[in-house]
Amino acid sequence: MIDSLRLEAAHALRDAYRTGNPIPPLSQTYSELDLEDAYAIQLAQVDAWLADGQTILGHKVGLTSLAVQKQLGVNQPDFGHLTNEMFYLSGEPIPVDQFLQPRVEPEIAFVLKSPLRGPNVTVAEAIRAVGFVLASLEIVDSRIADWKITLTDTVADNASSGGVVLGTRPMRLDDVDLRTLGAVLYKNGRIQHTGAGASVLGSPISSLVWLANTLGRLGTTLEAGEVVIPGAITPMVPAAPGDTITAVFAGLGSVTAQFAQETR
């Protein structure tokens, strides 16, 4: 795709944020759209957010489930950017008008104490760079109508990012086993799903390594203080006004996304 079409696609996604009206799949509108184009469209939006005064506070990794990869016909994860406007406090009302088609999934969030500069980051280096982990919920959202996404659609749409809710009980990596660490996801008091960290590429650390090395090849470093959400450990659940969605993690405590009642 030529640059003008990439910018046109980025503007269409930004308009969807602004108006609350999802758009048709970019993969249908732009038949020549490939993965390089999709990341360029994502970065064009990031540049616009930065120009508007937002800051990058972290990154997310998506498509870490083998089932989801098979569904989209891909064999690798993708990544998106997390800005300061995407973070919400556990248990405090989240404005529903910030989202178009929100869904929620539990993740084990990393907070870095030192930079990770790829490529060639090892598991040992990634572990050394982690300050602590937190329970978290990712609010996944799509600017693509009816979630009819391909890999290029979700990548262009900032990996279908929406928001993040962090727990408040930090734990050192020495004190947890990320592979076996389990979580139960509740919606309005009813159990929806259970899962464990091994659902994320075998271990969430593998996801962090992948992200550091992928960004490193693009000239980007994961900086100290950044939050990385490495992928969901259970399937997602849809969220509506008034819903309360809580994940209870073994050893990490709980975290709650409380969606405000819609006001008219």
Side-chain angles (χ1 to χ4, degrees):
M1 289 174 64
I2 59 176
D3 287 345
S4 61
L5 289 181
R6 288 174 169 178
L7 288 174
E8 180 181 276
H11 286 312
L13 288 167
R14 292 197 74 206
D15 281 345
Y17 277 101
R18 180 178 57 81
T19 64
N21 296 318
I23 62 174
L26 295 177
S27 55
Q28 294 180 10
T29 305
Y30 305 97
S31 58
E32 67 273 40
L33 179 71
D34 62 19
L35 193 57
E36 181 180 349
D37 296 319
Y39 275 117
I41 293 166
Q42 180 185 136
L43 291 175
Q45 293 177 87
V46 171
D47 288 343
W49 294 332
L50 294 176
D52 288 342
Q54 297 186 49
T55 55
I56 302 300
L57 296 186
H59 289 79
K60 66 156 286 184
V61 183
L63 306 181
T64 54
S65 158
L66 292 178
V68 174
Q69 288 185 6
K70 184 176 180 180
Q71 177 185 354
L72 293 181
V74 300
N75 59 4
Q76 64 175 334
D78 69 346
F79 70 84
H81 293 71
L82 303 176
T83 75
N84 59 295
E85 293 191 359
M86 295 180 183
F87 286 79
Y88 299 90
L89 294 176
S90 179
E92 293 205 354
I94 298 172
V96 290
D97 60 3
Q98 300 296 311
F99 308 100
L100 282 72
Q101 312 173 86
R103 302 176 179 182
V104 179
E105 56 192 23
E107 308 201 16
I108 302 166
F110 295 110
V111 181
L112 302 183
K113 65 181 178 183
S114 57
L116 268 180
R117 187 189 307 273
N120 303 319
V121 167
T122 66
V123 167
E125 290 169 330
I127 290 172
R128 193 161 53 240
V130 174
F132 53 88
V133 294
L134 292 168
S136 74
L137 291 169
E138 182 184 3
I139 304 169
V140 190
D141 199 10
S142 182
R143 274 53 63 177
I144 305 300
D146 301 319
W147 277 93
K148 292 182 178 178
I149 57 173
T150 65
L151 174 62
T152 52
D153 290 302
T154 185
V155 167
D157 191 21
N158 195 33
S160 302
S161 298
V164 183
V165 185
L166 296 178
T168 57
R169 183 178 181 181
M171 295 287 286
R172 290 163 46 92
L173 284 184
D174 322 35
D175 299 324
V176 294
D177 182 343
L178 294 181
R179 283 179 49 81
T180 61
L181 194 155
V184 181
L185 186 65
Y186 296 83
K187 178 177 177 180
N188 299 327
R190 295 179 178 271
I191 294 177
Q192 304 295 303
H193 301 291
T194 61
S199 303
V200 184
L201 298 180
S203 169
I205 282 289
S206 299
S207 180
L208 178 60
V209 170
W210 177 88
L211 177 65
N213 288 329
T214 300
L215 289 176
R217 286 189 287 271
L218 300 173
T220 299
T221 298
L222 290 172
E223 301 291 352
E226 279 202 29
V227 174
V228 175
I229 49 174
I233 64 176
T234 79
M236 63 183 75
V237 295
D243 281 343
T244 299
I245 300 174
T246 297
V248 179
F249 290 77
L252 285 181
S254 64
V255 58
T256 295
Q258 175 65 61
F259 289 87
Q261 291 284 356
E262 203 164 25
T263 58
R264 297 188 183 277

